[in-house]
Amino acid sequence: MQIRDIQPLNVIQLPIGKIRIQKKFSSKRNKVFLCSIRGKLNAENAILKQYVIGNPKREYEILKMLRKNGLNVPQPYFYNKKYAIMDYIPGVLLSDLVEADNMSWVEKIVDWFILFHSTMRREGTPFIKSDVNLRNFLFFNDEFYGIDFEDLSVGQPASDIGGLAAHILTNNPRFTQSKQKAVDMLIKHYCKINHDVLQSEVNKCLWRELVKIAARRPDERQEILGYCFFHQRKWTS
Ligand SMILES: Nc1ncnc2c1ncn2[C@@H]1O[C@H](COP(=O)(O)OP(=O)(O)O)[C@@H](O)[C@H]1O
Ligand SMILES: [Mg+2]
């Protein structure tokens, strides 16, 4: 069933119950809805994710494994070939926090990544999150929750932290003093806890991710590349 078929009705029937759609979230790739469920599972608020290209089973299994290891991620309830259903986390997106005067969020996102990377190491899978878009992290009850694990792939933890730093710096308004301070704190704090990762490695990844972001955003390209050029020696030596 196409989502345009279900939109006028706003209701779909799945084996776990009747799903009533309440709102659509802004999303990059997939279609993500806030919904309520009545049936085998009852929930006032849950998330229905309709996969456009991704694999619901893979994300369901990753969420289960991460929760088993104590990571803050939504509890998954159901998947089929097209949809997954999981807990709704009623938090604030990291994209809405990064310009706040209070920077206590920096240590909290580091806490989340430290546990995430050490879990991956322990599980024997050198996977990183890869998609470190700021809309993939929700702050709730004084802790971060990670969402959207479709892009999990083999890589170096430095790449997640450098990538996150690049997304913070290029979040509008870009390159503010408070964002530069937050990124500085983020990298120092992460490397202080995870001794396997050097600040110089993270800086290189930050630089690489900024160049990639510049390639994707023509309107911001000149400004982002200018910033990279200005910091080139510090980051890539
Ligand atoms: N479990 C959840 N709890 C609360 N909001 C969510 C949850 N999952 C997704 N969202 C919202 O939907 C948006 C898109 O979800 P995401 O899984 O990142 O989809 P995409 O793969 O399209 O990027 C998120 O940025 C967030 O606002
Ligand atoms: Mg996402």
Side-chain angles (χ1 to χ4, degrees):
M1 184 190 287
Q2 295 294 310
I3 206 74
R4 61 174 171 274
D5 297 329
I6 66 173
Q7 256 171 351
L9 296 169
N10 283 336
V11 172
I12 50 173
Q13 186 69 47
L14 290 175
I16 58 159
K18 193 183 265 186
I19 317 293
R20 200 172 289 275
I21 291 170
Q22 294 161 5
K23 103 176 201 192
K24 184 173 186 293
F25 288 97
S26 129
S27 59
K28 244 177 45 179
R29 234 177 339 211
N30 300 293
K31 294 182 175 166
V32 182
F33 304 91
L34 179 67
C35 65
S36 62
I37 306 171
R38 288 281 168 274
K40 268 195 210 156
L41 177 76
N42 286 293
E44 276 311 311
N45 291 309
I47 291 287
L48 172 73
K49 185 163 172 174
Q50 183 192 6
Y51 293 76
V52 175
I53 42 168
N55 179 346
K57 179 169 190 262
R58 181 168 186 253
E59 187 156 40
Y60 176 92
E61 282 170 357
I62 292 167
L63 287 171
K64 280 227 138 166
M65 180 276 285
L66 291 173
R67 276 187 71 85
K68 196 182 82 204
N69 282 285
L71 253 290
N72 283 339
V73 297
Q75 160 117 35
Y77 294 112
F78 168 86
Y79 74 88
N80 64 13
K81 285 200 172 123
K82 194 162 185 180
Y83 299 110
I85 291 193
M86 64 189 86
D87 259 346
Y88 167 63
I89 311 292
V92 181
L93 289 170
L94 177 54
S95 51
D96 294 326
L97 275 181
V98 284
E99 201 54 32
D101 287 338
N102 182 339
M103 290 202 187
S104 55
W105 61 268
V106 177
E107 288 192 6
K108 308 266 169 149
I109 194 74
V110 168
D111 290 345
W112 190 89
F113 270 100
I114 291 286
L115 187 55
F116 175 74
H117 290 145
S118 70
T119 299
M120 287 302 169
R121 228 183 7 251
R122 228 185 13 254
E123 289 278 316
T125 43
F127 280 175
I128 59 166
K129 185 155 189 326
S130 301
D131 185 358
V132 287
N133 184 317
L134 304 189
R135 303 177 76 83
N136 287 339
F137 301 94
L138 285 156
F139 194 61
F140 173 60
N141 271 348
D142 217 29
E143 292 182 343
F144 274 101
Y145 284 70
I147 55 175
D148 198 356
F149 292 91
E150 282 167 274
D151 281 353
L152 226 65
S153 54
V154 173
Q156 298 298 322
S159 170
D160 272 349
I161 304 303
L164 182 66
H167 282 278
I168 292 171
L169 286 171
T170 53
N171 177 268
N172 223 347
R174 293 178 285 282
F175 305 116
T176 59
Q177 279 200 344
S178 69
K179 288 199 173 99
Q180 299 191 52
K181 190 172 162 203
V183 159
D184 215 42
M185 283 165 60
L186 171 84
I187 298 174
K188 283 202 179 106
H189 191 59
Y190 181 88
C191 295
K192 205 165 105 191
I193 303 176
N194 185 353
H195 298 290
D196 293 339
V197 178
L198 299 175
Q199 284 193 44
S200 57
E201 284 171 355
V202 179
N203 285 337
K204 279 187 193 135
C205 296
L206 161 57
W207 191 79
R208 275 201 292 269
E209 188 63 33
L210 281 177
V211 173
K212 280 195 210 158
I213 294 174
R216 285 200 301 268
R217 300 185 194 167
D219 296 349
E220 301 165 22
R221 190 167 298 152
Q222 217 175 350
E223 184 193 0
I224 298 174
L225 291 180
Y227 189 86
C228 285
F229 184 72
F230 189 75
H231 288 85
Q232 186 167 19
R233 202 175 285 158
K234 177 178 143 204
W235 286 347
T236 57
S237 57

